[in-house]
Amino acid sequence: MPAESNFQDVTSSTIRTRTMPQLSGGSEKPRRWIKRYRTETAASTASVLSTVTAFPLDSVKTRMQTYPYAGALDCVRVTYKSEGIRGFFRGVTAPLASVTLVRTISFSIYQRSKYVYSDWMKKHLDFCPLEHVNKNGAFPNLGTIACFGAAGATAGSGITFIACPFELTKLSAQVSVLMANQKNADPQRQAIALSYHNKGTFKTLANIVKHRGFAGMYTGLNLHLLRDTLGTGIYFATYESSKQMLTALSGKDAHKNPIAVLVAGALCGIVSWALIYPIDSVKSIYQRNALMYSKGQKVPVPKIQFFRRDMYRGLGVSMGRSAAVNAVFFSAFEFLKKRINAMKEFV
């Protein structure tokens, strides 16, 4: 019996030794993949969370930009009365897919771009923004702001061609009921507007192609490109600079200061929208108008006018939405990146 017992122990031990690498091997590749693409993994997960959280505010913002309301509360009241809770989430499918994709690509481009610009500045100007940022107690300066702003602008211009069709579809879904109920409209345009009523994301996209051709998916592209290039540059420059300043003032490491990340995230959304909002308003109005025109018909382009009151309709809602979205997004993003970096790799 003792000999048999020893044999069983050795055999079971051998089996465990031989099978353990196979068991661990199954989870080794996903873990390495997650660590390798930690920026993309963290950005996509945080994007889904933040998009769903603040989408009702985005819907109110778009409605206020494209149709006159007495205020944000009036818009909420009218929308709820005529469309119910569902009205606030109308068109959420498109941004849930597009914003996640766009943010993931945007952050990937941004991360790579800031290293390229930082290396260029180090080589030609003898100043490395990334080295400066990582110094304890260092405050932002013109060099770091220029580096992060340029990297953000590069990311913004790069993702416009992906984002434009999705954003046009989202806008169409958000204002489809308002377009259909529009009074004193041209009968032909009213008929086109009615064709967008209560359609899903893909049917709306197909309807855009039907009325305006495949090029119609990129209606307002030049305005979209201008908004995203300037806006994303301001967005990242504000986030990185405010996070660095708050971290330096607190005397803590950025990864150990969640309050700095939360405040910087909210601030970058507020600042970027405040500065480029008239461009976004004109883009939304132009795209809304274009949905009521057929292929070949010329759509008048509204003039971008800063400091004109009607160009800032919905700004308060937009800034509140953006502050909430980006506070949630960057908090989740930095938290997930920290957790992914702390993951142990199999040797």
Side-chain angles (χ1 to χ4, degrees), residues 9-266:
D9 289 342
V10 171
T11 304
S12 61
S13 175
T14 304
I15 291 171
R16 282 196 299 270
T17 303
R18 289 178 179 174
T19 57
M20 278 303 287
Q22 294 176 359
L23 292 171
S24 64
S27 59
E28 181 180 356
K29 285 184 179 179
R31 185 169 292 194
R32 283 182 176 173
W33 187 90
I34 289 171
K35 291 208 75 169
R36 181 177 179 182
Y37 298 103
R38 54 187 172 273
T39 297
E40 291 80 1
T41 303
S44 58
T45 307
S47 183
V48 170
L49 178 64
S50 59
T51 300
V52 173
T53 302
F55 190 78
L57 289 173
D58 182 72
S59 184
V60 172
K61 183 268 295 184
T62 302
R63 290 164 184 266
M64 289 184 69
Q65 283 181 321
T66 52
Y67 290 92
Y69 288 94
L73 291 177
D74 180 52
C75 181
V76 171
R77 182 185 60 80
V78 172
T79 302
Y80 181 75
K81 185 179 179 180
S82 59
E83 303 175 53
I85 292 293
R86 186 181 177 183
F88 295 101
F89 289 92
R90 196 179 296 279
V92 72
T93 307
L96 198 58
S98 67
V99 172
T100 301
L101 176 64
V102 166
R103 268 216 170 125
T104 302
I105 295 172
S106 176
F107 269 70
S108 182
I109 295 173
Y110 172 72
Q111 289 288 340
R112 286 159 177 76
S113 297
K114 72 178 182 181
Y115 280 100
V116 170
Y117 291 128
S118 182
D119 290 342
W120 185 91
M121 292 176 75
K122 184 177 182 180
K123 182 179 179 181
H124 293 89
L125 304 175
D126 198 29
F127 172 75
C128 182
L130 294 181
E131 288 179 2
H132 177 79
V133 167
N134 289 322
K135 292 177 182 176
N136 289 330
F139 285 89
N141 58 28
L142 189 61
T144 59
I145 294 170
C147 177
F148 298 136
T154 302
S157 59
I159 51 91
T160 299
F161 299 94
I162 301 170
C164 189
F166 286 105
E167 192 156 325
L168 179 63
T169 305
K170 179 199 74 171
L171 180 140
S172 171
Q174 287 176 330
V175 301
S176 63
V177 174
L178 294 169
M179 286 197 303
N181 295 334
Q182 193 168 274
K183 297 177 180 179
N184 302 320
D186 179 88
Q188 185 181 0
R189 293 177 190 171
Q190 186 70 13
I192 297 172
L194 283 166
S195 69
Y196 288 97
H197 186 52
N198 280 336
K199 280 186 164 58
T201 299
F202 296 107
K203 286 185 178 179
T204 297
L205 199 60
N207 207 39
I208 292 170
V209 173
K210 176 185 174 182
H211 290 293
R212 297 192 55 78
F214 284 100
M217 294 190 296
Y218 287 92
T219 299
L221 177 65
N222 55 341
L223 292 167
H224 202 132
L225 180 63
L226 178 63
R227 184 203 70 176
D228 280 2
T229 302
L230 293 176
T232 312
I234 296 166
Y235 176 85
F236 278 112
T238 304
Y239 173 71
E240 297 282 11
S241 299
S242 54
K243 184 178 73 170
Q244 184 187 359
M245 183 177 290
L246 290 167
T247 300
L249 290 171
S250 68
K252 295 181 180 178
D253 182 87
H255 297 292
K256 297 177 182 178
N257 193 349
I259 299 300
V261 173
L262 184 74
V263 174

Side-chain angles (χ1 to χ4, degrees), residues 65 223 226-235 269-283 304 306 311-312 315 318:
Q65 283 181 321
L223 292 167
L226 178 63
R227 184 203 70 176
D228 280 2
T229 302
L230 293 176
T232 312
I234 296 166
Y235 176 85
I270 291 171
V271 172
S272 59
W273 273 114
L275 294 176
I276 56 93
Y277 199 76
I279 301 172
D280 184 65
S281 288
V282 168
K283 180 198 75 71
I304 300 172
F306 287 88
M311 286 284 105
Y312 291 90
L315 176 60
S318 185

Side-chain angles (χ1 to χ4, degrees), residues 306-338:
F306 287 88
F307 310 114
R308 181 175 162 177
R309 188 173 181 178
D310 61 347
M311 286 284 105
Y312 291 90
R313 282 193 315 223
L315 176 60
V317 174
S318 185
M319 289 170 69
R321 179 201 69 88
S322 189
V325 165
N326 289 291
V328 172
F329 175 79
F330 277 109
S331 295
F333 175 74
E334 297 286 2
F335 172 78
L336 289 168
K337 270 191 75 175
K338 184 180 177 181

Side-chain angles (χ1 to χ4, degrees), residues 219-220 223 281-291 299-302:
T219 299
L223 292 167
S281 288
V282 168
K283 180 198 75 71
S284 295
I285 293 167
Y286 176 75
Q287 288 180 327
R288 188 277 313 269
N289 292 344
L291 290 171
V299 184
V301 182

